[in-house]
Amino acid sequence: MTVNILCFILFLVGLYGLITRRNLVKIVISLSIMEFSLFIFLELVGYIDGGIAPIITGQDANAVYVDPLPQAMILTAIVIGLATTAMLMAIAIRLYRKYKTFDIREIKNLKG
Amino acid sequence: MELTLSILLGFMIIGALFSLHAKDLLSAVIACGIVGYSLVICFLLLRAPDLAIVQIVVETITLIIMVAVVLNSTREELKVKIDTRQIINISLALLFIVVLFFFFIQATDMLNPFGEHTLRMASAYVGETAAKTGSANLVTGIVFDFRGYDTLGEATVLFTAALGVLTILRLKGKK
Amino acid sequence: MKGMSIIVKKVAQLIAGFVFLYGIYIIAHGHLTPGGGFAGGALLAGAYILSILAYGSDYLKLKEEQTESSLSESISILLILMLAVAGMLMGIKVFFNNFLPKGTIGELISAGAIPLYNIFIGIEVASALLTIFLALIIYKEEIEE
């Protein structure tokens, strides 16, 4: 139970950064922190005490394996997370070239 | 096991808070790396070597991209003045946090305690994947056979992201 | 883009080949050991990025490489789709049908079409990451002009 709550606190830290920070780079960082906390929560759901990694070696017939389905989900989610982070950074660097600042409030004021 | 994970998670929370409050953008980006690399150790403790390999490489490439963006720009953090808008934002964030925490506690009450079997699908997947796909690594078997659509969608998202980056960062048009 | 000092160049020369080889190993053994197309593809892209960062490159060469990497990205995603459709045409009519013979569990050549999917996804991930990185580098070059 404590692990779940700590994991959720990590998510909340990301949410707090997303709402209160005004720097574009820090907003991207808080988005990726939220992503990390989701990965670890899904992985905690699939963990079984005394289980081994889900790879069949053929030595032990009745071994207990960790649930492979959340791992398959997170595997795709990690790579998608990298792609979206790269895209957000590209948008940030393009905005920086136009407005010479990372501050979203100034960008909002300087329309056009 | 639970104690080790709790310590690691506490470490990650401290790293995340430091990253959000750092004065210099470069140190903020590197402190974000603390969170990512601790995640690798968590994956290893939770018996997921596939994810650990992917995460350690992906985190390195993310750090390279972020440092490349931050290095040639202004690195100092913006001056945060405490005005009415900032106070409204922080109180709104606290309100969100309290409401979400309430619902999270209610939702996790239904889950089994840590370390016990939670998903009913798991036994079916573990029992049948090896026989039906012939793959010794169950995760690869699921990703490419039972959940092929998922992988196809992932490849499409990656393709679209690369196209988007190419479009956004083009300065000179093609003649 | 300029390269780095001679020490970095020498170390990169020694290491980049091994990183590339390890990526190929991880892709080829994806159905037997931890890893697979995603991890191996990211490693291949990492080897390229290491050598580009250490040795530097000029603008026209980077442009050429970007065209090639986006081409290989498009071809590999097309190959994944064609493999899935080939599964539909053979045997039972299911998209992503594993139509090749399964073999025995634990051998290098087994698991039907899964090693092929692994290879194509590996090429796709590697070339997508390389395209994103090259786009960033080319943007920086164009700003400095």
Side-chain angles (χ1 to χ4, degrees):
Chain A
M1 197 63 198
T2 46
V3 192
N4 282 349
I5 288 177
L6 277 173
C7 184
F8 191 63
I9 288 173
L10 189 62
F11 181 85
L12 292 180
V13 168
L15 188 69
Y16 160 78
L18 194 67
I19 294 178
T20 58
R21 296 294 110 183
R22 297 208 307 258
N23 195 317
L24 270 175
V25 178
K26 290 208 169 171
I27 290 175
V28 177
I29 287 175
S30 28
L31 269 178
S32 59
I33 287 171
M34 285 163 83
E35 248 172 24
F36 290 156
S37 75
L38 276 184
F39 296 159
I40 202 162
F41 179 70
L42 280 179
E43 200 34 62
L44 286 175
V45 170
Y47 181 73
I48 299 168
D49 247 349
I52 58 173
I55 291 159
I56 292 175
T57 48
Q59 288 158 356
D60 193 357
N62 43 10
V64 180
Y65 294 108
V66 170
D67 189 356
L69 185 62
Q71 298 193 14
M73 296 289 187
I74 301 168
L75 193 64
T76 53
I78 288 176
V79 182
I80 289 177
L82 172 60
T84 48
T85 306
M87 180 132 177
L88 285 172
M89 287 320 261
I91 293 174
I93 197 176
R94 203 58 217 254
L95 282 175
Y96 180 80
R97 181 176 156 80
K98 185 153 185 181
Y99 297 109
K100 301 285 178 235
T101 176
F102 278 132
D103 191 343
I104 48 170
R105 282 175 75 185
E106 280 188 43
I107 290 172
K108 198 175 140 202
N109 290 338
L110 295 171
K111 270 180 199 143
Chain B
M1 183 66 198
E2 204 170 350
L3 187 68
T4 324
L5 270 178
S6 308
I7 293 169
L8 261 174
L9 274 168
F11 191 57
M12 285 164 77
I13 290 170
I14 293 170
L17 277 175
F18 179 76
S19 163
L20 291 179
H21 286 278
K23 288 276 185 299
D24 190 302
L25 274 187
L26 189 62
S27 56
V29 165
I30 291 170
C32 181
I34 296 176
V35 188
Y37 288 119
S38 311
L39 192 61
V40 177
I41 304 174
C42 287
F43 281 154
L44 279 179
L45 286 176
L46 290 170
R47 312 283 193 281
D50 303 77
L51 297 179
I53 295 176
V54 176
Q55 175 66 28
I56 200 166
V57 185
V58 160
E59 185 60 34
T60 311
I61 296 179
T62 314
L63 270 184
I64 289 174
I65 289 176
M66 281 192 165
V67 168
V69 167
V70 166
L71 260 190
N72 287 359
S73 339
T74 50
R75 273 171 37 192
E76 69 262 27
E77 167 65 325
L78 318 160
K79 301 261 186 323
V80 180
K81 301 193 298 281
I82 303 290
D83 52 359
T84 52
R85 193 192 162 96
Q86 192 72 12
I87 292 170
I88 290 175
N89 277 358
I90 290 177
S91 50
L92 214 72
L94 286 177
L95 187 70
F96 264 129
I97 283 169
V98 169
V99 171
L100 279 177
F101 205 78
F102 175 70
F103 283 114
F104 179 79
I105 296 292
Q106 288 215 326
T108 44
D109 271 349
M110 285 177 227
L111 289 178
N112 290 357
F114 173 73
E116 282 179 34
H117 206 72
T118 306
L119 298 179
R120 271 171 299 163
M121 283 183 288
S123 53
Y125 272 116
V126 169
E128 292 177 12
T129 307
K132 278 191 178 169
T133 67
S135 156
N137 185 349
L138 298 182
V139 178
T140 311
I142 289 176
V143 163
F144 290 109
D145 199 308
F146 294 132
R147 302 221 160 234
Y149 281 110
D150 226 357
T151 312
L152 188 64
E154 184 272 344
T156 318
V157 170
L158 205 57
F159 183 70
T160 319
L163 274 187
V165 171
L166 278 184
T167 317
I168 290 168
L169 291 185
R170 175 176 292 157
L171 286 175
K172 299 171 185 166
K174 261 185 186 165
K175 296 281 159 56
Chain C
M1 190 187 145
K2 279 198 301 192
M4 297 192 182
S5 69
I6 182 146
I7 300 172
V8 180
K9 277 184 187 170
K10 199 68 194 170
V11 172
Q13 186 189 1
L14 290 175
I15 286 181
F18 282 111
V19 175
F20 198 82
L21 197 65
Y22 186 57
I24 292 176
Y25 163 77
I26 285 208
I27 291 179
H29 288 243
H31 54 295
L32 303 177
T33 53
F38 299 100
L43 269 169
L44 294 188
Y48 269 112
I49 288 174
L50 173 65
S51 55
I52 289 176
L53 281 180
Y55 277 87
S57 186
D58 62 336
Y59 178 74
L60 289 175
K61 199 85 174 213
L62 286 175
K63 272 284 196 195
E64 206 173 292
E65 264 179 49
Q66 195 191 40
T67 317
E68 281 165 12
S69 68
S70 55
L71 186 70
S72 76
E73 189 187 353
S74 319
I75 289 178
S76 61
I77 199 169
L78 195 66
L79 280 173
I80 294 169
L81 262 178
M82 277 164 63
L83 203 58
V85 171
M88 197 162 71
L89 296 179
M90 295 184 169
I92 51 172
K93 302 280 183 286
V94 183
F95 207 51
F96 277 101
N97 181 17
N98 194 347
F99 59 94
L100 294 172
K102 304 284 191 303
T104 50
I105 294 175
E107 305 251 316
L108 182 56
I109 303 194
S110 66
I114 287 179
L116 286 177
Y117 281 122
N118 255 331
I119 290 170
F120 294 148
I121 281 281
I123 297 172
E124 152 80 20
V125 171
S127 45
L129 296 187
L130 195 62
T131 311
I132 290 172
F133 176 74
L134 285 176
L136 264 174
I137 294 284
I138 288 175
Y139 177 78
K140 293 215 151 205
E141 290 275 294
E142 284 179 352
I143 277 185
E144 280 170 17
E145 273 176 13

